[in-house]
Amino acid sequence: MIDLSRKAAIVTGGSRGIGKAIALRLAEQGADICFSYRGNATAAEQTRAEIEAQGRKCVAVQADVTQPESAEMVVKAALDAFGKVDILVNNAGITRDDLIMRMSPEAWRDVLETNLFGAFYTLKAVTRPMLRARSGRIIQITSVSGQAGQMGQANYSAAKAGLIGLTKAAARELGSRGITVNAVAPGFVLTELTEGLADEWKRRINEQTPLGRFGTVDEIAYAVAFLASDEAAYITGQVLAVDGGLVMM
């Protein structure tokens, strides 16, 4: 069993969906949690309560990850509460889907700033305490869209592909100090976003997926927990696809 006892973790965008599942899973394995959220205080409070019900410490921080000072604030909150940061999960992300010819510069910029710039700011902010500790686990939540591209998601695909490049560059820079940097690439997962897809689209997705179904948020969280653990100490710079076989590389 994965043991994250006495570990301290940051999860960005941790109040709902995949981020919440990750935060709960890390807490279940023994970690104390600091998570950021953008604006839904009710969801954040519910997540915090669920984590604390497991006997873990939890800090919820309202923060805009597109701002470098917000990333510093989240890391400081974790350090103040736990004295260290062992695990960072860069999960915060948004979509602004449209075809390239119709995509506004604002939609392009918003997705890149949240999904890619935000991950860079938080990774940078956590690097110093991890370097001092000479250990750490950084996991980026990318996407199959960043591996294979997706029609109507030029901004999202570009951001998630950039996140893969950031993962590999950071893994090379930080590896000598005992810090691993990996990415998890979910396929189509049952969340509030995908529940609204038309039945025809769901059918097509299932047909294209060798396992013939959508994934669950828990299945993504299991992969993250593994990469955050001591069992994954010799894995770095890798992209673990949790996609039912949708993209094979």
Side-chain angles (χ1 to χ4, degrees):
M1 178 178 176
I2 291 172
D3 183 8
L4 300 178
S5 300
R6 298 177 298 279
K7 301 293 186 181
I10 292 174
V11 181
T12 66
S15 64
R16 295 185 295 170
I18 290 175
K20 178 179 180 177
I22 291 168
L24 290 173
R25 181 64 178 176
L26 297 181
E28 183 180 337
Q29 302 305 127
D32 294 322
I33 306 296
C34 174
F35 71 86
S36 69
Y37 67 99
R38 173 170 280 187
N40 192 329
T42 300
E45 176 57 28
Q46 182 177 345
T47 300
R48 186 187 64 79
E50 290 181 41
I51 291 170
E52 290 183 343
Q54 297 187 39
R56 307 278 80 81
K57 296 178 183 177
C58 182
V59 178
V61 183
Q62 185 172 10
D64 180 356
V65 297
T66 67
Q67 303 302 314
E69 57 270 21
S70 291
E72 296 280 356
M73 179 179 68
V74 172
V75 173
K76 184 178 185 301
L79 291 172
D80 289 345
F82 312 132
K84 60 177 182 172
V85 179
D86 302 295
I87 301 160
L88 167 65
V89 183
N90 270 321
N91 167 76
I94 61 170
T95 57
R96 296 286 186 270
D97 296 353
D98 211 341
L99 296 176
I100 290 171
M101 65 183 295
R102 294 204 301 254
M103 184 174 290
S104 69
E106 292 75 22
W108 171 267
R109 186 179 300 110
D110 287 349
V111 171
L112 268 290
E113 288 184 346
T114 299
N115 297 31
L116 181 57
F117 288 31
F120 168 74
Y121 296 144
T122 311
L123 186 153
K124 181 179 180 181
V126 87
T127 296
R128 193 175 301 277
M130 284 188 175
L131 286 172
R132 284 198 298 264
R134 299 187 69 87
S135 69
R137 300 281 184 269
I138 298 172
I139 300 104
Q140 325 264 41
I141 306 302
T142 180
S143 169
V144 293
S145 294
Q147 295 176 300
Q150 184 68 29
M151 185 176 71
Q153 288 193 322
N155 47 7
Y156 187 77
S157 296
K160 293 299 189 178
L163 201 53
I164 292 172
L166 174 61
T167 297
K168 293 179 181 293
R172 291 189 183 277
E173 286 191 22
L174 303 175
S176 65
R177 301 298 288 272
I179 301 167
T180 66
V181 190
N182 293 289
V184 170
F188 288 95
V189 177
L190 290 171
T191 65
E192 293 177 5
L193 290 175
T194 56
E195 282 176 359
L197 289 174
D199 289 342
E200 176 61 19
W201 273 106
K202 291 179 180 178
R203 183 187 64 79
R204 291 183 185 180
I205 290 166
N206 286 337
E207 287 178 350
Q208 294 170 9
T209 304
L211 291 186
R213 64 173 177 85
F214 279 61
T216 69
V217 293
D218 287 334
E219 287 170 325
I220 308 305
Y222 297 151
V224 172
F226 167 66
L227 290 173
S229 72
D230 290 342
E231 284 82 350
Y234 201 54
I235 301 172
T236 197
Q238 303 304 307
V239 181
L240 175 56
V242 186
D243 63 359
L246 183 64
V247 176
M248 298 188 189
M249 301 184 71

